[in-house]
Amino acid sequence: MIRTLAPSDRELYKTLISEFYSSPAVLHSIPESHIDKTFDELMRSDCYAECFIIECDGEPAGYALIAKSFSQEAGPMCNDTVLHTLLGHY
C-alpha cells in the first residue's frame, strides 16, 4: 500500500530518512535539522514537495519523496522523485 505521509509519521519519517542517508546510496549524511524542516514543510503544504509511505503487510517498507520545481527550459513543472524501499523490513 502507498499512503500520504501523516503528522503522526514524524519518527518513522526521521528513521527512514536517516537510514537512507547512512546507506551506500549517498556520499554523506544530512543534518537532522534539515530532516525536521523538510517534515514540517511536508505537513504545511504540498506546494514544494510530497512524501508517501510505502507499506507491505501493514509494515513500513520505504518512502517516496517528490520534490517539485519550476523550470521554463524543462517545462513548467518538474518532479524529482526519491524512492527508498527498505527491502529488509518485510
Side-chain angles (χ1 to χ4, degrees):
M1 180 175 100
I2 298 174
R3 63 176 179 80
T4 302
L5 186 73
S8 59
D9 290 322
R10 181 180 285 274
E11 290 307 313
L12 172 61
Y13 174 80
K14 290 176 73 168
T15 298
L16 294 172
I17 298 297
S18 295
E19 287 181 12
F20 175 72
Y21 278 98
S22 63
S23 77
V26 295
L27 296 176
H28 56 82
S29 61
I30 60 172
E32 188 170 343
S33 62
H34 291 193
I35 298 169
D36 289 324
K37 288 176 184 176
T38 300
F39 185 87
D40 292 342
E41 179 59 29
L42 289 164
M43 293 300 100
R44 187 191 72 76
S45 169
D46 64 359
C47 183
Y48 300 109
E50 291 181 85
C51 188
F52 301 92
I53 299 297
I54 303 162
E55 295 181 342
C56 183
D57 297 327
E59 296 295 321
Y63 71 94
L65 179 62
I66 300 171
K68 302 174 184 180
S69 63
F70 184 90
S71 171
Q72 182 170 297
E73 291 81 15
M77 183 62 75
C78 303
N79 293 325
D80 295 324
T81 305
V82 173
L83 177 63
H84 178 225
T85 304
L86 304 171
L87 297 174
H89 286 226
Y90 64 90

